[in-house]
Amino acid sequence: MRRRDWLRTATLLAAPPFIRHARAADEPRFALGVASGQPRPDGLVLWTRLTGDDLPPQVPVQWELAHDEAFTRIAARGSEDADSRWAHSVHAEPSGLAPGRWYWYRFRALGQQSRVGRTRTAPAADAAASLRLAIASCQRWDHGHYAAWRHLATQDLDLVAFLGDYIYEYPSSPMAPRLHKGGLLRSLDQYRARYAQYRSDPALQDAHAACPWLMVWDDHEVENDYAGTHPSTPLGADMAPLRAAAYQAYWEHQPLARAQRPRGADMPLFGRMDWGRLARIHQLDTRQHRDGQACPSWPRTSGGRLVREADCPALDDPSRSLLGAAQERWLAEGWSLDRPWNLVAQQTLMARAGLPDQGRWTDGWDGYPAARARLLRTVAERRVPGVVVLGGDVHAHVVAELKADFDDARAPVLASEFCGTSISSHGRAQRGWDAARAGNPHLLHARSDQRGYAAFTLDARQLQARLLAVDEPLDATSAVHEQARFAVDAGRPGPHRA
Ligand SMILES: [Fe+2]
């Protein structure tokens, strides 16, 4: 027995039994809330994680899924063992459900019951459908409060796509409006504690309980600007143990399927789902499989920076990929040609935003221009309908036209892009975006001065987008207003003001 365990046991034995029991019963077991994800026509994933220091290695957890909020008509129920090796997380996968239906769910363990969450299945593959979707990203805890989540939880959404930077790995400045617990994340226990801190926020818990989520990650779930197997720290650290710890904690804290559980430093994340006859949603992973950034600053071997094309021939090397060869092929072969919309849920801005005199940012799609052109040329050649790229990462609401050649003002618009601003992470100076827009006429809108998220309504004829912004990011109860409104018509690529 380790010394700490022995001490705990000794303390428990010494305490009178009634105090021991009172403590165990009072300890909240569902303090991190509930979540659901990955809706399919016949199933989905239900998530929770048990809390408390005194949990045994395995705890049976009962779950229930009902047709009504009062749980009078049960649709499915089951039991999962929450295991200490996976942080007592629960990933239940009810199956055989009816398509296109709302459900309510809850968990029970150790004499306690969780809150109730609401979720839904996807429409049947051949059903006419509409979709209300929100995208969100970049919720840095120590930069502000989650008024954006508070607002989102009140909207009547079918689906939330979270596009990366669910946590940040940094320690906090003592001046921050709220503080990260602990220092720079390097170990599994540290990543777990950071997720638990973020998930303690009531507004975030409400947003998870409101509807199912689709999850993709970006860099800060592991380390700033890491690229595949390349760390961005200059000391040549081994990426594998860091990835293994960070990926495991990510899986443990998200409504991801059991089949996605990481093996060592690898985790299957990219995938696609259909929303009836309306849309195919492609979820990409631009972190795990990418090549290193071009021309990193010495002594680093990777990491983002601004570089001019003339100073960095590797930028245009066609062999470099942001998705990796296997994911590129999988995407090229998987576009839906018979649905009006192909939504691409991924991490970062796809449209060119760099300027010749200032250079291009090498960590985003601007750092992998040949891979971007390959993707967009496939869209053109195969006449893929309704491609709408959704992203985050840049902490700005950006709306853009996507082209295979951004230098040619007359090149046809092939697809539309909506990059959502951060939930709470600071944005860069607005004048930088104003300059980027002046040199990149395909950027129709770029605002980095406000935090928030974007909400979309889609039917077979039109996609309507609302860019939402928080009035006061340091106030958890702040109001939210509409910053701008755009639309995309089916069969006509490119956003226009609405
Ligand atoms: Fe971010």
Side-chain angles (χ1 to χ4, degrees), residues 326-363:
Q327 189 179 186
E328 273 197 30
R329 214 175 314 117
W330 167 88
L331 180 61
E333 289 165 0
W335 295 108
S336 177
L337 302 180
D338 53 8
R339 288 178 177 78
W341 304 105
N342 279 273
L343 307 181
V344 185
Q346 50 90 58
Q347 289 74 20
T348 189
L349 184 69
M350 187 174 281
R352 190 186 69 189
L355 295 166
D357 55 331
Q358 285 165 15
R360 293 200 231 133
W361 178 245
T362 59
D363 186 60

Side-chain angles (χ1 to χ4, degrees), residues 137-139 164-165 168 218-220 393-395 422 425:
S137 60
C138 298
Q139 50 171 348
D165 291 356
Y168 282 73
D218 196 18
D219 53 342
H220 289 287
D393 177 48
V394 297
H395 308 177
S422 50
S425 310

Side-chain angles (χ1 to χ4, degrees), residues 430-478:
Q430 181 61 36
R431 63 179 179 280
W433 281 105
D434 294 342
R437 275 197 68 201
N440 292 283
H442 48 271
L443 301 179
L444 307 179
H445 178 95
R447 287 274 303 268
S448 62
D449 59 327
Q450 292 184 322
R451 319 279 60 87
Y453 68 99
F456 304 89
T457 306
L458 285 82
D459 61 25
R461 288 176 33 238
Q462 200 179 52
L463 172 151
Q464 290 168 354
R466 295 189 305 141
L467 310 184
L468 299 161
V470 171
D471 291 351
E472 176 42 68
L474 294 181
D475 176 4
T477 63
S478 167

Side-chain angles (χ1 to χ4, degrees), residues 290-293 320-322 362-372:
R290 66 157 76 187
D291 290 305
Q293 295 90 348
R320 296 178 59 256
S321 175
L322 191 64
T362 59
D363 186 60
W365 282 99
D366 262 3
Y368 302 77
R372 174 173 62 195

